[in-house]
Amino acid sequence: MLILIDQDGVLADFERAFHAAWQQAGHDFPAVALECRTSLHVRDDYPEALYGAVEAIYTAPGFYRELPPIAGALEGVRGLLEAGHDVRICTAPLNQYRNCVTEKFEWVERHLGADFVDRIILTKDKTVVHGDILVDDNPDIRGSRRPDWRQVLFDQPYNRQLDMPRMSWASWRETLAG
Ligand SMILES: Cc1cn([C@H]2C[C@H](O)[C@@H](COP(=O)(O)O)O2)c(=O)[nH]c1=O
Ligand SMILES: [Mg+2]
């Protein structure tokens, strides 16, 4: 199968890095714990007056480059390749793209190797990308086409309210390797 895998929130731990950076910044408003997050976009869980401070963190140089891998993600990707699947990273850049785009590529090279950079598909519209499965933490993927991929939701606290087929890296074999 052709398996498309999202980067932020599936391979790279955007949430853990943001939480740590917000705590480090010393804002009076406390960092929202991952289990309490309610929306894909972290900004939505903070007061509007702090949106600028929130965006300043994830648009800062190095934020995307230094994201820690999500537990089990790198092993899961390698396992899917070893199982004979064609794996591509299908990822959307921030609108504030300047650091994000380069650092997403640097992240893949650092954690999956230089050859894996050839497997990156960078798009703001994932519905135009061909694939059999898309693993993504976004519960509301919108675009210009009816996609031919079937989404498997990557389990995160902010998408648990939805009754959709889902996985974590602890369960990828049962969900994807079939
Ligand atoms: C703001 C924000 C972004 N992300 C991730 C999700 C996508 O991979 C990119 C671009 O997101 P957008 O929805 O196209 O702006 O960044 C995220 O995981 N959490 C966030 O708060
Ligand atoms: Mg994501």
Side-chain angles (χ1 to χ4, degrees):
M1 292 191 290
L2 174 50
I3 301 178
L4 309 170
I5 302 183
D6 176 38
Q7 191 164 352
D8 299 332
V10 178
L11 298 176
D13 204 336
F14 184 104
E15 292 292 325
R16 180 150 63 104
F18 179 86
H19 188 277
W22 185 264
Q23 284 186 318
Q24 180 68 30
H27 293 288
D28 293 339
F29 190 89
V32 177
L34 176 58
E35 290 309 309
C36 300
R37 291 266 291 106
T38 62
S39 165
L40 174 72
H41 287 133
V42 64
R43 197 179 73 170
D44 296 344
D45 283 335
Y46 287 77
E48 191 170 347
L50 292 175
Y51 283 4
V54 169
E55 289 185 2
I57 284 178
Y58 60 70
T59 58
F63 177 78
Y64 268 90
R65 185 187 312 117
E66 299 304 320
L67 293 181
I70 286 179
L74 304 179
E75 298 81 357
V77 167
R78 295 185 187 109
L80 286 168
L81 284 171
E82 287 160 9
H85 297 294
D86 184 355
V87 177
R88 307 291 165 134
I89 296 174
C90 185
T91 185
L94 292 169
N95 292 328
Q96 310 95 321
Y97 60 82
R98 283 175 176 75
N99 299 310
C100 170
V101 170
T102 304
E103 293 182 16
K104 277 178 174 279
F105 280 67
E106 289 172 341
W107 190 95
V108 171
E109 181 178 14
R110 174 178 175 185
H111 293 289
L112 290 166
D115 290 348
F116 222 95
V117 172
D118 293 343
R119 293 181 176 273
I120 296 172
I121 299 168
L122 192 69
T123 180
K124 289 294 274 189
D125 183 349
K126 295 186 182 184
T127 67
V128 304
V129 178
H130 168 64
D132 296 303
I133 287 178
L134 170 65
V135 180
D136 202 305
D137 62 319
N138 181 351
D140 184 20
I141 295 173
R142 299 181 187 186
S144 60
R145 299 291 179 89
R146 180 189 299 272
D148 60 0
W149 39 256
R150 169 175 66 90
Q151 184 177 357
V152 173
L153 196 60
F154 189 82
D155 182 62
Q156 288 283 3
Y158 44 78
N159 63 36
R160 281 194 191 132
Q161 75 283 6
L162 283 167
D163 181 20
M164 285 174 65
R166 66 183 56 232
M167 65 165 267
S168 65
W169 287 114
S171 66
W172 71 268
R173 292 186 190 279
E174 296 76 30
T175 313
L176 300 178

